[in-house]
Amino acid sequence: MRSKLLVESWKNFIKESQEEISDKEYFEGQYDFGLVPMSAKPFHEGHMSLIRKASDECKQVTVYVSTSDRKRKGEITIFGEDMQTIWETIIINYLPQNVSCIFGGSPVGNVYKKLEEASQANDETTYGIYTGLEDAKRYSSKYYASIVDRVYLRTMSRGEDTMAISGTLMRSYLSNASEDKFLFLDGLPREILDDDKEEIFNILFSRLN
């Protein structure tokens, strides 16, 4: 009888310990706010990877989306109004529940604006900035020095942490859609259903004809 009680006590101890570890893992290292700036012209799997990571690590996430046109010599133009339509009618339906979007303005500038507001608040709120490794240099701690201990730069490397896809490749696939349409569709986030991927393609491709 005593042996049985000891076994039951040990099982309860193990169960309680596992629950404590689980709670600790959930809360430790989790930030209050995730800030995800992006131009995203067009939006692709790499962008969604950043959003997923931010959603997993933060209680609330804001994605700052540029709505300006993307014009470059030798490349097709991606129109901001088209991308905003795609965000509002398609992409937003696939975002995690703790993610919201703000459209317009400079995404990087909006991050700094948020951090400036944070520096004036007398609290311990933590922030994570989520960006591609190649863009990390845009976020210098000297601009948020007063709260540097509460701001964490979280980067992902293309081709290692995320799919080896870029806006340049996606625009190239779109411009050569007669041969590369499948590659364009494949570069879109994996969550998006095929019909919605086709709609994204049609919205962007219609500007080329």
Side-chain angles (χ1 to χ4, degrees), residues 10-192:
W10 177 250
K11 287 181 178 178
N12 288 333
F13 172 77
I14 293 297
K15 181 179 179 181
E16 290 172 1
S17 297
Q18 288 175 336
E19 288 175 351
E20 289 176 2
I21 292 172
S22 178
D23 289 343
K24 186 176 181 181
E25 288 177 346
Y26 181 77
F27 287 107
E28 275 196 2
Q30 187 178 64
Y31 314 123
D32 294 306
F33 287 97
L35 311 176
V36 191
M38 57 180 62
S39 176
K41 294 190 178 70
F43 185 74
H44 55 65
E45 170 63 21
H47 297 121
M48 186 64 96
S49 295
L50 285 170
I51 293 175
R52 289 191 206 104
K53 183 178 179 68
S55 175
D56 288 343
E57 296 182 352
C58 303
K59 295 174 184 176
Q60 298 179 52
V61 176
T62 300
V63 181
Y64 297 103
V65 183
S66 166
T67 57
S68 61
D69 296 342
R70 205 259 182 210
K71 298 180 179 180
R72 297 290 188 279
K73 186 176 181 179
E75 287 190 352
I76 61 171
T77 296
I78 301 294
F79 293 90
E81 63 180 358
D82 290 344
M83 282 308 308
Q84 185 165 351
T85 295
I86 290 169
W87 275 92
E88 292 177 339
T89 62
I90 300 175
I91 296 172
I92 201 167
N93 299 319
Y94 294 92
L95 298 179
Q97 290 187 346
N98 62 338
V99 176
S100 61
C101 300
I102 293 179
F103 300 100
S106 163
V108 174
N110 284 334
V111 167
Y112 280 122
K113 181 179 179 181
K114 181 66 176 179
L115 295 180
E116 181 180 359
E117 293 172 357
S119 68
Q120 298 171 5
N122 186 24
D123 59 32
E124 297 301 318
T125 303
T126 53
Y127 298 84
I129 303 173
Y130 293 80
T131 187
L133 186 61
E134 65 278 4
D135 291 324
K137 60 182 179 295
R138 295 185 179 186
Y139 305 94
S140 173
S141 60
K142 68 181 181 180
Y143 295 115
Y144 49 87
S146 64
I147 56 169
V148 69
D149 60 325
R150 297 193 282 119
V151 179
Y152 301 83
L153 189 59
R154 307 290 287 153
T155 62
M156 299 185 77
S157 179
R158 182 183 300 143
E160 296 182 12
D161 302 314
T162 70
M163 181 180 182
I165 191 68
S166 68
T168 301
L169 273 175
M170 290 291 280
R171 290 186 294 273
S172 174
Y173 296 153
L174 187 64
S175 64
N176 192 36
S178 60
E179 296 181 12
D180 294 338
K181 178 181 176 180
F182 173 78
L183 294 175
F184 177 88
L185 297 177
D186 193 52
L188 294 172
R190 61 176 183 260
E191 294 93 335
I192 298 180

Side-chain angles (χ1 to χ4, degrees), residues 193-209:
L193 298 176
D194 289 345
D195 286 349
D196 283 337
K197 288 185 176 182
E198 286 283 345
E199 181 62 15
I200 291 172
F201 171 83
N202 290 335
I203 290 171
L204 297 177
F205 187 70
S206 65
R207 290 280 198 166
L208 307 182
N209 296 300

